[in-house]
Amino acid sequence: MTVAVDAEITALMQCLQRQRNHVLGAVEGLSDEALRRPVLPSGWSCLGMLQHLTLSVERLYFRAVVAGDPEVIDMVGSQDSPWQVAPGLPAGDVLDCYRHEASLADAVIAASSADADLVWWPFPEGEWRLHNVRDVLLHVITETACHAGHLDAVRELIDGQQWLVNT
């Protein structure tokens, strides 16, 4: 069965993919040690940021909030901090998991319309709320772009490299 994806969803998915590519480009070529090194006082590492984007952004918003996957919903709140990567977990596995979760998110997005209501919402009533798939896409694009900028700055602090889109 072929699912027709509307132009708005296509444009938002392309924008999100550019931000994902920016995230991956910002850490490309870093050694395992550099990927694990906390640079800022808050203590997160590049791998911690990637794991946060995987679990607390891509997985949470698309597979739980948009799709209502009960397995993913059951995991919310029961995980260790996504910002802390297990010392024995290979860096390549964290990167692969981010790519894999993005592909699962893309399948959820492609099967949705921009105006579709959300299946599940993890935050208490009265706090901020997203209302439809469009809101989620815009939120995840913003979150990913913000963290891509964090990774740019940390990369420059680690080895002086700059990952610039416009040169």
Side-chain angles (χ1 to χ4, degrees), residues 2 11 17 28 31 39 41 53 81 87 89 93 96 100 106 120 124:
T2 303
Q17 189 56 52
E28 187 175 349
S31 68
V39 176
L53 284 166
S81 170
L89 184 62
D93 288 2
D96 289 345
H100 179 68
D106 287 348
W120 181 74

Side-chain angles (χ1 to χ4, degrees), residues 34-98:
L35 285 166
R36 293 177 189 281
R37 186 174 133 205
V39 176
L40 301 177
S42 56
W44 61 266
S45 67
C46 292
L47 280 186
M49 177 64 79
L50 283 161
Q51 189 167 268
H52 162 70
L53 284 166
T54 302
L55 303 176
S56 303
V57 179
E58 297 277 353
R59 180 180 291 172
L60 172 68
Y61 284 102
F62 294 116
R63 291 207 290 144
V65 170
V66 172
D69 183 323
E71 259 184 61
V72 176
I73 291 169
D74 285 346
M75 284 189 258
V76 173
S78 66
Q79 307 167 4
D80 292 331
S81 170
W83 293 91
Q84 300 303 315
V85 176
L89 184 62
D93 288 2
V94 176
L95 290 160
D96 289 345
C97 191
Y98 179 64

Side-chain angles (χ1 to χ4, degrees), residues 117-161:
D117 290 332
L118 304 179
V119 177
W120 181 74
W121 187 247
F123 304 105
E125 288 298 319
E127 291 190 20
W128 73 282
R129 182 171 172 81
L130 302 174
H131 299 284
N132 55 38
V133 173
R134 176 186 300 103
D135 289 350
V136 169
L137 272 161
L138 291 169
H139 176 73
V140 171
I141 290 166
T142 302
E143 183 93 359
T144 305
C146 178
H147 290 325
H150 293 132
L151 288 167
D152 284 341
V154 166
R155 174 65 186 256
E156 192 169 347
L157 290 169
I158 289 172
D159 67 3
Q161 294 291 316

